[in-house]
Amino acid sequence: MKEAALTTGPAEKQDANGPAVTPPDVSADLSPDLQMPVDLLGLSFEELEAVMVAEGLPKFRARQVWSWIWRHGVTAFDDMTNLAKSVREQLSAGFMISRPRVTSRQVSSDGTIKWLLKFADGNEAETVYIPEEDRGTLCISSQVGCTLTCSFCHTGTQKLVRNLKVEEIMGQIMLAMDELGEWPATQDGRKLTNIVLMGMGEPLFNYDNVRDAMLITMHHEGIGLSKRRITLSTSGVVPEIFKTGEDLGVNLAISLHAVRDELRDELVPINRKYPLEVLVEACRNYPASSNSRRITWEYVMLDGINDSDEDAKALVKLIKGIPSKINLIPFNAWPGAGYTCSSKTRIDRFSKIVMNAGYSSPVRTPRGQDILAACGQLKSASERARRQSTRA
Ligand code: SAH
Ligand code: SF4
């Protein structure tokens, strides 16, 4: 079972130009604070069963409580009507079912919603909901900031970094489901049909918590989202890629962005530790990929940097034999980024070369740009304010 009230501290940010790419220890400090109730959003089904037994209650109570939390979105024990009043009181005394505190909520002209959340220790992370005609995708964060320093990514410039706890990852999903009126979770016409781990942070640097949170999300007696509707995006933390396929079987997206080591070392610094050859081999062996479940290669289009015909041809060569689709992402600018987006003609030309080689190559439409909610633009408001005041 998890301890109550996990407290956390900031981790040192790595230097963008330094060789270090090993994740620093940004895990939560597990020192218990006996004053705080245990948050049930952080527990697996088995851990919830253990809680019931430790409380002297029958094990089957866990199934009932689980369903209230994850199928019905209940946050008050008093609303769990099939539990005796004494049991509800007992649980209320030592446990809670949290929701993150919303610092700001913005709605884009295209319907995209961005929430800025503040956690108990004051750290912040962002969650974005993107409605489309045939689906609704929730883009969730796995860390506060990111220890990696991809040169084109706004999140990578954030100084404070820590891993999000299971309850903080799940809290993002629950908050969105509350707001979208998704309870009970199995109802027809769901608005939240897909989840992408493409918000702030590198999910594979917070592997255990991300894995536990996704197992809760997929649990058939709760939210019950299929692994086919979950996509995990990584910059290329090779040792965890195989485990992701084995433990979760979710869709895999790789932030490729360059097809030569020299350039990728600069754009995606983790490449210095896990170069292209090793990364591509890990994807070739990804247990959950097939012709119907292809690996997505994300490729940000940077004017004059990685967008030539030669790059497109080398890309096709690099992924040969792997069931793949290539997602071309127009670069989303942010203040002080130092890059510009490739022209539309260049992106079309690049896409054509990739398509002619037999790969699907959609160009991702940026969403929520007016509220800085597009890929790579996320960064907490407190960090933005800090930067602005430093500049002033
Ligand atoms: N850390 C993970 C997931 C979060 S980033 C990863 O890197 O895969 C989600 C995607 O947005 C990644 O492909 C990332 O490279 C891309 N991205 C980052 N900054 C961007 C920007 N300014 N414009 C467009 N895409 C960006
Ligand atoms: Fe981190 Fe991903 Fe941004 Fe790179 S692109 S800095 S890995 S969030």
Side-chain angles (χ1 to χ4, degrees):
M1 204 192 100
K2 305 256 161 56
E3 300 286 359
L6 309 178
T7 53
T8 52
E12 279 298 305
K13 181 78 183 167
Q14 288 159 355
D15 184 337
N17 303 313
V21 280
T22 313
D25 183 10
V26 290
S27 54
D29 166 11
L30 295 181
S31 51
D33 175 350
L34 298 175
Q35 302 303 306
M36 283 289 284
V38 173
D39 189 352
L40 297 186
L41 284 199
L43 304 189
S44 68
F45 186 77
E46 293 69 30
E47 286 169 332
L48 187 61
E49 280 187 330
V51 161
M52 295 302 155
V53 172
E55 288 289 309
L57 297 168
K59 220 175 176 182
F60 73 83
R61 290 274 175 236
R63 181 154 268 126
Q64 294 174 317
V65 173
W66 184 266
S67 172
W68 282 117
I69 297 175
W70 300 114
R71 179 65 51 97
H72 297 281
V74 159
T75 52
F77 291 101
D78 251 352
D79 293 337
M80 302 185 177
T81 47
N82 56 357
L83 301 188
K85 193 153 185 288
S86 59
V87 176
R88 288 187 242 157
E89 280 169 3
Q90 182 183 349
L91 293 176
S92 309
F95 303 92
M96 64 176 183
I97 303 155
S98 75
R99 290 294 186 266
R101 189 143 57 91
V102 179
T103 316
S104 83
R105 176 185 175 280
Q106 287 172 283
V107 183
S108 157
S109 54
D110 67 12
T112 299
I113 309 174
K114 180 172 86 170
W115 295 271
L116 176 68
L117 311 174
K118 199 176 214 127
F119 301 112
D121 64 355
N123 271 309
E124 294 173 314
E126 289 176 321
T127 308
V128 179
Y129 173 72
I130 306 145
E132 285 173 279
E133 237 163 62
D134 59 340
R135 66 176 67 188
T137 304
L138 191 70
C139 178
I140 60 174
S141 294
S142 55
Q143 298 185 304
V144 169
C146 185
T147 52
L148 291 170
T149 47
C150 301
S151 54
F152 54 89
C153 174
H154 204 197
T155 309
T157 64
Q158 182 158 330
K159 295 226 162 42
L160 274 177
V161 181
R162 77 158 167 86
N163 282 338
L164 291 185
K165 295 176 261 175
V166 176
E167 53 270 43
E168 292 167 338
I169 299 173
M170 291 314 299
Q172 299 173 58
I173 301 173
M174 300 305 268
L175 178 84
M177 291 183 73
D178 289 349
E179 187 159 324
L180 297 169
E182 293 286 85
W183 307 115
T186 46
Q187 65 185 330
D188 287 340
R190 273 177 145 175
K191 294 197 188 83
L192 198 169
T193 59
N194 293 63
I195 288 180
V196 293
L197 282 144
M198 293 187 185
M200 295 168 83
E202 168 49 60
L204 297 188
F205 274 176
N206 185 16
Y207 184 74
D208 289 357
N209 292 348
V210 164
R211 178 201 54 212
D212 292 352
M214 289 307 103
L215 289 174
I216 294 173
T217 308
M218 293 191 280
H219 196 283
H220 65 286
E221 289 176 57
I223 299 171
L225 201 68
S226 156
K227 60 186 178 186
R228 289 161 201 279
R229 293 190 170 274
I230 299 175
T231 301
L232 183 148
S233 174
T234 178
S235 54
V237 187
V238 165
E240 318 297 339
I241 288 181
F242 191 79
K243 276 203 274 178
T244 303
E246 288 231 299
D247 294 347
L248 299 174
V250 296
N251 304 318
L252 182 68
I254 301 287
S255 293
L256 187 65
H257 309 316
V259 287
R260 286 177 287 117
D261 279 320
E262 196 194 353
L263 179 59
R264 196 164 188 269
D265 282 353
E266 193 187 307
L267 297 180
V268 188
I270 198 175
N271 194 68
R272 295 176 205 156
K273 182 150 187 177
Y274 305 113
L276 283 166
E277 197 185 341
V278 183
L279 174 62
V280 171
E281 193 52 27
C283 294
R284 207 177 285 288
N285 298 324
Y286 188 64
S289 77
S290 66
N291 280 333
S292 60
R293 298 189 62 208
R294 291 167 289 168
I295 287 175
T296 302
W297 303 91
E298 299 167 278
Y299 199 95
V300 65
M301 299 301 294
L302 302 169
D303 185 33
I305 306 279
N306 64 352
D307 60 352
S308 69
D309 286 1
E310 287 63 43
D311 287 318
K313 288 175 197 158
L315 167 57
V316 168
K317 211 166 150 195
L318 186 73
I319 61 173
K320 198 169 186 299
I322 303 177
S324 298
K325 58 183 162 195
I326 291 94
N327 206 332
L328 299 179
I329 317 175
F331 170 63
N332 293 311
W334 40 274
Y339 294 102
T340 49
C341 182
S342 311
S343 69
K344 187 170 177 319
T345 1
R346 188 85 296 273
I347 298 178
D348 288 347
R349 172 85 194 137
F350 196 100
S351 165
K352 208 164 196 162
I353 295 174
V354 176
M355 277 194 302
N356 286 345
Y359 296 101
S360 131
S361 165
V363 179
R364 191 182 289 175
T365 319
R367 299 292 304 265
Q369 270 184 318
D370 51 344
I371 55 168
L372 280 180
C375 292
Q377 291 184 319
L378 302 185
K379 182 161 171 153
S380 73
S382 54
E383 277 277 330
R384 263 184 228 122
R386 203 170 299 139
R387 258 163 58 103
Q388 272 153 14
S389 68
T390 313
R391 256 196 247 125

